[in-house]
Amino acid sequence: MSDLHFLELLELTELIHAGKLSPVEVVQDQLQRIETVDATISSYVAVSADSALQAAREAEAEIKAGKIKGPLHGAPVAVKDLCWTTDAPTAAGTVVRAGFMADEDATVVRRLREAGAILLGKLALTEGAYTDHHPDIAAPKNPWGHAHWVGASSSGSGAAAAAGLCYAAIGTDTGGSIRFPSGANGITGLKGSWGRVSRHGVFALAPTMDHVGPMVRSARDAAAVMAAIAGADEQDPTALLAPVPDYLTETGKGVKGLRLGIDAQWLSDVDGPAGAVLDEVKRIAGQLGMELVEVKFPDSRQIVMDWFPQCGSEVAVEHEQTYPSRQAEYGPSLAGLIELGRGTSGLDYQKLVLRRLDFTGRVRRVFEDVDLLLAPVQGFSAPTCEWMAGLGVNVETVRRLHQYTSPFDSSGNPTITLPGGFTKEGLPIGFQFIAGHLKEDLLLRAGVAYQQETDWHRKHPKI
């Protein structure tokens, strides 16, 4: 089958469950594509070929016997190399953790395996899941154009899902790390409410803001993966206890009557291409029967800047066993964040906590009046790698990069990122819907409805 590698996950497993495709043949196809295509993209840091083929043989036997575990059964997937696995090391994009072998799978990995998904390997990321890749480790390339930003920190997850090197990827998001690479690579990414997916066995950046979620080719695929990985976990007491809905069934409810919040002033800080995407989303939302409601989003400028010392303080704790004792093995970006955290006083940290609580409450009030909120991923479309390399010298530009992402890690609100168009150079542009606490079902309903009216998610890089 031509372009087998670009099928959506649910399209693939429908064919597998009907006996029209073999899980073994699909895994072999994926491994061959990784060997050839990933030589130039560098999205994988470890490929578990032997265990993937063994899992594929087991899945094939189970499916032939009529023991189908669910919609993920037989689908090859990959996970960000923050997630512990017993069949490959977990280095977290660092040198200091190189060679770490876990004695158990992360909960998210275990749940994927239990759902019948086949793990192909581990995907590259920035050092420690912060902004930059370690200087000694190859950074993934954007399959749409190597000169353009691939997104951070789930860079390998975004590149692999876009390039047809897995049918679903797991990413994490602390300041935008599911949303940036989803937007940059033209895929769909779901960041659930904080605690919706267990973080057990996932190396932390900043635990109070870390989110785990799927990066896939469609909102329906996101619904299927989220249903498999979400839920309470005895090994992670911060995982939410709320029951997990049947997200796939929920997507069939449509969006007629849902209220979409628009803050025109908040959305004005975007470039022309991103603004055009938002205008088209508003048009389609109205066409689908959503009610567009004017809202006033809380001033987020301070909370965006607070994110850095807040994150730095938490990451300093996470790395205190190796920093500063092994400081020479750290790249400058992560080391700088740790130093920022170590230099934050207790008094200043408490002020961060209080401002974050205040902001979270104000965001909660927004969703008293609307069901969803519209936002870009970032205000400037498809930045080049060269431009991003100079980002740190301009505080205002750093704020603009984070203004639509990190506030929702601070507040813990769920978001979905969807492809919404392209620049004139042919680079993807994404946008976000944001929802209230535990309202992932509304995000997925909106994502599926939008993708039934558009085909941006069916566009793929020519590689």
Side-chain angles (χ1 to χ4, degrees):
M1 179 183 295
S2 63
D3 286 347
L4 169 66
H5 45 272
F6 282 139
L7 288 178
E8 294 171 23
L9 182 149
L10 292 177
E11 292 174 337
L12 175 80
T13 55
E14 182 178 346
L15 293 170
I16 289 174
H17 298 169
K20 297 178 181 179
L21 281 177
S22 155
V24 174
E25 292 172 349
V26 173
V27 168
Q28 289 171 335
D29 178 80
Q30 286 283 275
L31 292 173
Q32 179 61 40
R33 184 166 174 82
I34 290 168
E35 184 177 347
T36 55
V37 172
D38 207 45
T40 57
I41 293 177
S42 302
S43 64
Y44 278 83
V45 295
V47 178
S48 303
D50 292 343
S51 59
L53 286 168
Q54 178 59 32
R57 288 189 284 268
E58 293 171 1
E60 187 164 308
E62 291 165 344
I63 292 166
K64 283 183 177 178
K67 300 176 181 178
I68 298 174
K69 296 178 177 179
L72 272 60
H73 201 176
V77 303
V79 299
K80 186 175 182 176
D81 192 33
L82 282 180
C83 305
W84 297 358
T85 57
T86 56
D87 53 4
T90 305
T94 70
V95 170
V96 293
R97 285 178 170 148
F100 170 79
M101 285 296 301
D103 57 9
E104 63 174 325
D105 285 336
T107 296
V108 64
V109 173
R110 174 175 57 80
R111 287 178 174 171
L112 287 171
R113 295 195 203 269
E114 289 172 350
I118 298 165
L119 189 64
L120 292 171
K122 313 291 285 292
L123 297 166
L125 67 151
T126 55
E127 185 183 14
Y130 188 45
T131 57
D132 292 337
H133 297 86
H134 191 282
D136 297 337
I137 299 174
K141 304 292 193 301
N142 189 323
W144 293 91
H146 292 185
H148 288 264
W149 192 41
V150 70
S153 67
S154 308
S155 50
S157 299
L165 303 176
C166 61
Y167 291 89
I170 294 298
T172 66
D173 193 307
T174 308
S177 296
I178 286 174
R179 289 162 290 168
F180 289 139
S182 292
N185 291 279
I187 61 170
T188 298
L190 180 63
K191 179 188 85 69
S193 305
W194 184 81
R196 199 42 164 146
V197 179
S198 169
R199 293 178 293 107
H200 175 71
V202 180
F203 278 129
L205 176 62
T208 73
M209 297 187 286
D210 290 348
H211 300 65
V212 180
M215 299 171 66
V216 289
R217 298 201 186 104
S218 72
R220 290 190 73 245
D221 287 355
V225 176
M226 183 59 91
I229 65 176
D233 179 16
E234 290 184 357
Q235 294 179 293
D236 177 4
T238 69
L240 299 176
L241 302 178
V244 179
D246 181 346
Y247 290 124
L248 268 177
T249 299
E250 289 293 313
T251 62
K253 293 183 177 179
V255 294
K256 188 174 181 179
L258 292 185
R259 300 161 299 170
L260 178 62
I262 309 291
D263 183 338
Q265 182 176 356
W266 186 52
L267 298 182
S268 65
D269 192 18
V270 298
D271 64 15
V277 165
L278 296 178
D279 287 343
E280 181 64 3
V281 172
K282 287 185 281 187
R283 185 191 69 79
I284 293 172
Q287 182 177 299
L288 290 168
M290 297 179 74
E291 178 187 356
L292 272 59
V293 179
E294 292 184 9
V295 296
K296 177 62 176 174
F297 189 71
D299 189 336
S300 61
R301 288 173 293 184
Q302 183 62 56
I303 206 70
V304 169
M305 301 316 296
D306 282 354
W307 182 91
F308 295 93
Q310 172 88 49
C311 184
S313 298
E314 295 188 33
V315 76
V317 173
E318 293 301 314
H319 287 262
E320 65 179 340
Q321 298 301 314
T322 52
Y323 192 98
S325 60
R326 298 171 63 182
Q327 183 175 353
E329 298 172 63
Y330 282 77
S333 181
L334 184 58
L337 181 67
I338 293 172
E339 290 290 350
L340 176 63
R342 290 171 67 89
T344 300
S345 71
L347 285 174
D348 286 340
Y349 186 82
Q350 177 62 9
K351 293 174 184 177
L352 297 173
V353 170
L354 292 175
R355 286 197 293 264
R356 183 178 174 189
L357 288 171
D358 179 87
F359 177 76
T360 299
R362 293 176 186 276
V363 173
R364 188 182 303 119
R365 290 179 183 175
V366 171
F367 291 100
E368 292 294 309
D369 300 318
V370 297
D371 300 295
L372 300 170
L373 188 66
L374 176 65
V377 175
Q378 75 260 353
F380 31 84
S381 307
T384 64
C385 297
E386 181 181 9
W387 188 86
M388 289 298 295
L391 191 66
V393 301
N394 189 316
V395 173
E396 176 59 18
T397 306
V398 170
R399 185 196 65 77
R400 287 188 65 211
L401 175 67
H402 280 260
Q403 69 176 319
Y404 301 112
T405 55
S406 65
F408 302 109
D409 292 295
S410 295
S411 68
N413 286 78
T415 74
I416 192 168
T417 299
L418 304 165
F422 290 87
T423 67
K424 64 180 181 181
E425 294 82 14
L427 278 300
I429 303 172
F431 70 94
Q432 299 180 81
F433 289 127
I434 302 103
H437 184 62
L438 282 175
K439 296 298 183 181
E440 291 84 5
D441 58 325
L442 298 184
L443 295 174
L444 291 162
R445 284 167 58 184
V448 168
Y450 175 80
Q451 290 182 340
Q452 287 174 341
E453 295 294 316
T454 63
D455 65 352
W456 301 117
H457 65 295
R458 295 188 179 276
K459 307 291 187 183
H460 306 294
K462 293 179 172 59
I463 49 175

